[in-house]
Amino acid sequence: MLRRSLLRIALLSCITFNVLAQTALNELASHPVWQQLLHTGQTPVSGESKPFYLATEGSENPLAELQATLSAFKQNPQSQCRYPARRLFLKRYYPARYFPAVQCVDYQAYLDAFVTDSLSLIYASGYLGNPASMFGHVFLKFNSDGVHDLLDNTFSFGARVPDSDNKLAYIIKGISGGYEGHFTNQKYHHHDLTYNESELRNLWEYRLGLERSEVEFILAHLWELENTSMTYYFFRQNCAYQLAKLLELVIDTPLTEPGKYQVMPVDLIMRLNKAENSSPLYKNVRFHGSRQQALYKHYSQLNSEQQNTLMTILTAPVAQTTELLAALDDEDAKPVIDTLYDYVAFQEVRQDDVAAELQEKKRLAMSKRFAMPPGKVEWQNITPVAPHYAQFTSLLQTGLAVNNDVSAVMLRYRANYYDLLTYNPGRIPFSELSTFDLRLAYSDNRELSVQQFNLLKVINLNASQTGLPGDDALAWKLALGYRQQSKQCRHCGSAFVEGFVGKAWSPGAGHVFYGAVSGTATSSNRMGGNLAAGAEVGGVITVTPKLAISFSAGHQWYVNALSEHRQYVQVESRWLINQQWDLRATYEYLGQAEAGVHISYYY
Amino acid sequence: MFKKLAIAATLMTATLSGQAMAQENINPWKHCGIGAIIFDDNGTAAAISNIIWDLGTTAVSSKVSSADSCEGKLVTAAVFIQDNFKKVMEETSQGEGEHLVAMMDILGVEQAERANVIAAVRADMAIVMAANAETSPQTYYNAVVANI
C-alpha cells in the first residue's frame, strides 16, 4: 500500500516537473528576444554552407528550434560556439539548465578583436546618383575610442548585387526580393572612402547608450549570422530594418515605425531620437562631413585674398601656380593649398576625367606644402543640423481647393520622402525625392477622382555654393506617374514621364533659381500631342526658417502637333509648425487656375 | 628602427611578430596579388573595387585569426596606403592627420617613434615631389618601410 502511494507521488512529481518544464520552454520560445534570434516572422535565414536552423521547421516554430538547440548544446557541446547569442540567452533566461563547458577559441578571438564598450549607428545621407542609395544607408560601428576611428570595425547589411545587373534591374529585383542580403564586416576607413570621398555623402554618427554586455550580445548574434543570407527587399527588409531588429535584441522598444510598411534609414534615426520611452537612445551625435562639405567649410573660412588666390590658381595657366602661392606667406598659403586639395578631390568625383592641368596645379601646390614647415590649419568646426531634426518621411495631407467656383476636398498620401519645401536638413540642398505620392479630389458633386499619382519624382538643382568653377552641375528633374492633363477637367488623366535639364543659381543660403529645357511624354494626346518640349523656370525662396516658397512656370509645344501648346504655373508656400505638421498654400495653373490650403501630417 | 618594431611586435603577440618577420621581404604588390585585384588607374575605382573585394570576405573569424603572410600588418598597411593614398599624401604634406595615425597603428609603431617616422617619410616624399618624380602608393610604402 505504502509502496503504491510512493510510486503515485513519484509519478505525479515527475508529471508536474515535466509540465512545469514544458511551460518554461513555451514561455522561452515565445520570448521576443528568442524569436528575434531566429528572425521569426521575417524572411528566414539561409545558411550558405550549413543550415542556420537546427530544427526542420525552425524558422517558423520557435519552440521546435529551442528544443533542437537545447538538445544540440547538450549532445554536441561545440555547437554552443556556433550559437553564442542563443547560449547567452539561455544562460540568462534558463539558468537552471546545465550545458557542458566549452572553449570557443575562434569566437573568443573574434570577440577580442571586435568587442568594445561603445557602439554607434551611422547614417549616410542619400545619394541621388544611384537608385540604391537615394534613401540613405545605416551601418554599425564598434568604437575603439582612439584618436581616430578609421580602423574601427563596422557591420553593414546590404544586397549582394551582381556586377552585370543595371540600375533598372536593381530597382525591379530590389523591390521584388530578387537579391539576397548579407551582413558584412569592414574597417571604417572603407566607409570613409566610399561615402565621404567617392560619393560625397555626409555621415552622422549616433553613439548608442548601450552596456558592454549588450554590445557583446549583438556581436554574438552577428557571429551566428556569418555566412548566412536573408532575402533583401528595398523598401522593408533592408539595411535599416535589419539593424533595427538587431538593436531590438538589447533595446526594449520597437525601432521600426508601427503601422508603416516601408522602413527608411532616416526612420531608424527618428526612432532612436524619439523612442516610445521618450528619452533619446543615443548619447551624442558626431558629424563626418564629405569632401564636398570640407570644401565648402574650408572655402568659407578663407579670407578674401585667399579666396581670390584660389580662384586665380584655378583659372590661370599652370605656370602661374607656384608664383601665386609664393606671393602668400606660409600661414596664408596653407589654407589655400588645403582647400585646393578638397577642390581637386571634389572635381575627381564630379568629372569622369579631371584635366591634367588641374592635377598639375595640385602637384605644384603639394610640392609647396611639403617644402613648408609641417602643421595643420586650425579650421573652425562647422556642424550642420543633424538629420533627426527633419520632418518625418511619410505624409498624410488634407485640404480644400477651389477651381472655377468648384471646390473639392483634397486628400494626399506620400509614402516618402521629401519635396523642395520639406524641412530636411540632412538632405542634398535644393533636391526632391518623392515616391508613391497619391492626390485625390472629392468634389462638390460627390465625385472622387485621382488628381495625380507620382510614382517617382526626383529633382536635383545642383547649385554652386562657392562660385568656384565646376562647383555646380546640371540641374535636373525626372518624374513619372499619372495625372489630370488640365485643371479644366476631372477625368482627363494620362500616364506621363517628364523632366528637365538646366542650370541653377543660389544667391544665398536657402535661395535658388533655375532655368531649364523641359520635356513631357504622355500616354494620351487629348491636349494636342504625346510629346511636348519647352522651357521652365523656377526656384525656392526661404523667407524664414519656418516660411519657404517654391515656384515653377513653363511653356511647352507639342512636337507632334506644333500648333498646340501647354502652359503651367505652380506656386507653393510652406509654414513649418514642427517635425510632424506644416501648413501649405498652393496656386496652380494648368489650363485653369486652382488655389488651395492644406494641412500636412508627417509620421 | 625595424628592430624596435620587431621588439614591440614581440611584446604584443608572438603571432604578430611572426607575421612581421615573414613579411620582411614581401612586396605586397608583387607577391600578394593585391595590385591585380584592387588597383586601377583611377583612385575612386580602386577604392570601390577594393570594397567589393572586402565585401566578399564575410568570414570574420578567418580574418582575425589568419596567420597568412599576405594578411599581416605590412600588407595591411600597403593596402591601406593604396586605398587611401590621396588622403595619406595630403596629410603627409601637412605633417599630421588621422590617416597617418591609422597607418602607424597598423604598423604597430611605438608612440615615441611616430613623429620621427612621419618626419622622415615626409622628407623622403618632399624630395620625390620636388624632383617631379612619380608618386605612387608603392613609392610611399617603400619610404615608410625604410623609415620604421
Side-chain angles (χ1 to χ4, degrees), chain B residues 70-115:
Chain B
C70 275
E71 293 186 18
K73 59 187 178 184
L74 285 179
V75 178
T76 303
V79 173
F80 181 84
I81 291 166
Q82 174 67 38
D83 284 353
N84 298 283
F85 185 57
K86 198 187 303 171
K87 277 282 184 76
V88 166
M89 275 298 285
E90 290 173 10
E91 290 180 8
T92 306
S93 76
Q94 293 158 348
E96 58 185 286
E98 61 179 12
H99 286 78
L100 300 186
V101 178
M103 187 177 70
M104 296 289 110
D105 285 347
I106 292 169
L107 290 165
V109 178
E110 289 180 74
Q111 290 290 342
E113 293 296 331
R114 292 186 174 195

Side-chain angles (χ1 to χ4, degrees), chain B residues 5-148:
Chain B
L5 176 66
I7 291 166
T10 308
L11 289 173
M12 286 167 67
T13 63
T15 310
L16 274 181
S17 76
Q19 284 180 5
M21 296 307 287
Q23 290 176 70
E24 196 170 0
N25 297 316
I26 280 181
N27 178 335
W29 281 261
K30 196 181 285 181
H31 298 133
C32 299
I34 55 174
I37 297 169
I38 303 169
F39 300 163
D40 190 297
D41 290 332
N42 180 301
T44 303
I48 290 169
S49 66
N50 184 46
I51 285 161
I52 290 164
W53 172 69
D54 199 48
L55 273 171
T57 315
T58 53
V60 287
S61 54
S62 62
K63 254 187 170 179
V64 293
S65 62
S66 172
D68 188 285
S69 60
C70 275
E71 293 186 18
K73 59 187 178 184
L74 285 179
V75 178
T76 303
V79 173
F80 181 84
I81 291 166
Q82 174 67 38
D83 284 353
N84 298 283
F85 185 57
K86 198 187 303 171
K87 277 282 184 76
V88 166
M89 275 298 285
E90 290 173 10
E91 290 180 8
T92 306
S93 76
Q94 293 158 348
E96 58 185 286
E98 61 179 12
H99 286 78
L100 300 186
V101 178
M103 187 177 70
M104 296 289 110
D105 285 347
I106 292 169
L107 290 165
V109 178
E110 289 180 74
Q111 290 290 342
E113 293 296 331
R114 292 186 174 195
N116 293 335
V117 172
I118 290 170
V121 172
R122 187 172 189 267
D124 286 354
M125 295 310 293
I127 294 167
V128 174
M129 292 294 297
N132 197 12
E134 183 193 352
T135 53
S136 68
Q138 196 166 352
T139 312
Y140 189 94
Y141 169 82
N142 291 338
V144 171
V145 171
N147 285 293
I148 56 175

Side-chain angles (χ1 to χ4, degrees), chain A residues 46 84 108 142 207 289 483 495 589:
Chain A
S46 302
Q108 192 55 51
F142 295 82
R207 187 163 288 217
R483 70 179 170 212
Y589 177 84

Side-chain angles (χ1 to χ4, degrees), chain A residues 350-395:
Chain A
R350 274 286 172 90
Q351 302 172 22
D352 289 337
D353 193 16
V354 172
E357 195 176 64
L358 183 58
Q359 295 287 11
E360 179 60 10
K361 287 174 181 175
K362 181 187 172 184
R363 194 193 68 76
L364 291 169
M366 187 172 270
S367 291
K368 167 83 174 167
R369 192 74 162 94
F370 266 108
M372 293 177 186
K376 290 202 96 170
V377 176
E378 294 298 326
W379 298 105
Q380 186 188 343
N381 200 22
I382 299 173
T383 302
V385 180
H388 64 264
Y389 290 109
Q391 289 184 299
F392 293 88
T393 55
S394 295
L395 166 69

Side-chain angles (χ1 to χ4, degrees), chain A residues 260 262 264 267 391-398 411-422 432-439 572 574 578-584 598-603:
Chain A
K260 197 167 167 180
Q262 73 276 15
M264 296 288 108
D267 289 338
Q391 289 184 299
F392 293 88
T393 55
S394 295
L395 166 69
L396 286 173
Q397 189 182 71
T398 186
L411 303 166
R412 181 180 179 190
Y413 167 72
R414 185 175 72 205
N416 48 63
Y417 189 7
Y418 59 86
D419 56 50
L420 284 170
L421 296 178
T422 307
E432 172 166 351
L433 174 57
S434 302
T435 59
F436 205 93
D437 188 358
L438 176 65
R439 299 173 204 227
E572 184 168 5
R574 176 268 289 156
N578 56 36
Q579 277 187 299
Q580 290 191 283
W581 296 93
D582 69 31
L583 284 172
R584 305 259 179 147
H598 314 266
I599 184 159
S600 317
Y601 171 69
Y602 300 86
Y603 66 101

Side-chain angles (χ1 to χ4, degrees), chain A residues 228-364:
Chain A
T228 65
S229 62
M230 290 155 272
T231 306
Y232 178 89
Y233 290 95
F234 188 78
F235 284 114
R236 187 157 177 85
Q237 267 96 346
N238 52 23
C239 59
Y241 178 89
Q242 293 296 351
L243 288 198
K245 294 299 171 190
L246 189 64
L247 292 173
E248 283 175 14
L249 286 171
V250 294
I251 294 174
D252 189 21
T253 189
L255 294 177
T256 54
E257 200 69 43
K260 197 167 167 180
Y261 174 76
Q262 73 276 15
V263 182
M264 296 288 108
V266 78
D267 289 338
L268 179 52
I269 302 300
M270 299 292 196
R271 294 293 296 178
L272 290 177
N273 189 47
K274 284 193 175 172
E276 284 178 357
N277 56 7
S278 79
S279 58
L281 297 167
Y282 55 84
K283 290 178 178 172
N284 55 55
V285 184
R286 274 180 70 203
F287 177 64
H288 305 259
S290 70
R291 185 64 91 119
Q292 186 176 5
Q293 194 71 29
L295 170 65
Y296 296 157
K297 181 178 96 171
H298 295 160
Y299 184 77
S300 70
Q301 292 179 49
L302 298 180
N303 61 37
S304 57
E305 184 191 3
Q306 291 168 324
Q307 288 187 348
N308 288 338
T309 302
L310 180 60
M311 180 67 91
T312 311
I313 288 172
L314 295 178
T315 51
V318 176
Q320 292 182 28
T321 301
T322 305
E323 186 186 332
L324 285 162
L325 287 171
L328 300 173
D329 62 40
D330 283 357
E331 292 313 305
D332 278 339
K334 281 179 182 176
V336 174
I337 294 171
D338 292 0
T339 309
L340 177 66
Y341 290 166
D342 297 327
Y343 176 82
V344 176
F346 172 56
Q347 289 303 309
E348 284 172 347
V349 176
R350 274 286 172 90
Q351 302 172 22
D352 289 337
D353 193 16
V354 172
E357 195 176 64
L358 183 58
Q359 295 287 11
E360 179 60 10
K361 287 174 181 175
K362 181 187 172 184
R363 194 193 68 76
L364 291 169

Side-chain angles (χ1 to χ4, degrees), chain A residues 51 53-61 64-65 68:
Chain A
Y53 299 103
L54 295 169
T56 314
E57 69 280 28
S59 67
E60 296 163 358
N61 188 337
E65 186 66 12

